[in-house]
Amino acid sequence: GCQQTLTHLDLTGLGPIVLPALVCLDLPVLQLLRLGLERPSGAWADAHSEPWHKNTLSLLGGCFPTLTGLDIGYANVRGGVSFEEVETLATCCEGLRHLDLSMVMTYRDFSPSLVSLSKQAPNLTSLAIHGLNLQTHALETFARGCAQLARVHFVHCGYSA
């Protein structure tokens, strides 16, 4: 069936209700998975209050190691996404090339995740984040470690030495 050939799956805006069914699917060649929300308006948190489980990235990485792209941008993740979750995802999905973590992180300083991605996801070509702080040393490490970067989308991010 289509499960054996499905490479791209866009479930944008459906929320965490799809997760139990999604992880039960055998999708051996899934490459791109979109689970986030469209860029939210001012009242997006009220409209999408049902939170994703806090270990969603680890779960997805374990279930779909063939992922080359993951978009969970603007999703309401319970407790936010931790540095460890980003590292686990990158470790499980060795071919990861595209990642959108806009407005889902637990901590404001994204620097540890930049360093982790530079080591665990050297083939990354695009990264999107929103509203986080980045330290110069982490940006330099990230740029050196992910030499194939073509698109970096840092919206409303702060920078410090």
Side-chain angles (χ1 to χ4, degrees):
C2 72
Q3 286 182 301
Q4 299 302 310
T5 59
L6 189 65
T7 60
H8 292 71
L9 182 58
D10 189 338
L11 302 172
T12 301
L14 294 180
I17 194 165
V18 302
L19 195 58
L22 179 63
V23 298
C24 290
L25 294 175
D26 179 24
L27 301 171
V29 295
L30 186 64
Q31 294 174 3
L32 176 65
L33 179 59
R34 294 186 52 146
L35 295 173
L37 300 172
E38 294 298 326
R39 189 172 181 130
S41 65
W44 76 277
D46 294 334
H48 298 92
S49 60
E50 181 67 26
W52 287 87
H53 188 271
K54 71 180 250 175
N55 296 322
T56 297
L57 258 64
S58 295
L59 182 63
L60 294 173
C63 290
F64 308 113
T66 56
L67 283 179
T68 59
L70 177 64
D71 175 356
I72 63 160
Y74 302 104
N76 179 8
V77 179
R78 183 175 317 205
V81 173
S82 68
F83 303 139
E84 295 80 14
E85 284 287 290
V86 174
E87 185 170 358
T88 299
L89 175 72
T91 301
C92 291
C93 302
E94 294 177 358
L96 193 63
R97 298 178 57 80
H98 310 281
L99 186 57
D100 186 342
L101 297 174
S102 298
M103 299 293 288
V104 298
M105 297 301 297
T106 300
Y107 306 104
R108 296 243 330 129
D109 184 2
F110 192 68
S111 298
S113 288
L114 282 179
V115 172
S116 179
L117 288 170
S118 74
K119 296 174 184 171
Q120 303 296 331
N123 296 320
L124 204 64
T125 60
S126 72
L127 174 66
I129 59 173
H130 185 138
L132 300 174
N133 294 323
L134 311 166
Q135 295 177 15
T136 303
H137 75 88
L139 283 169
E140 291 168 354
T141 301
F142 177 65
R144 280 193 305 275
C146 298
Q148 298 178 32
L149 284 170
R151 180 181 172 269
V152 178
H153 197 71
F154 293 167
V155 177
H156 299 292
C157 290
Y159 305 93
S160 64

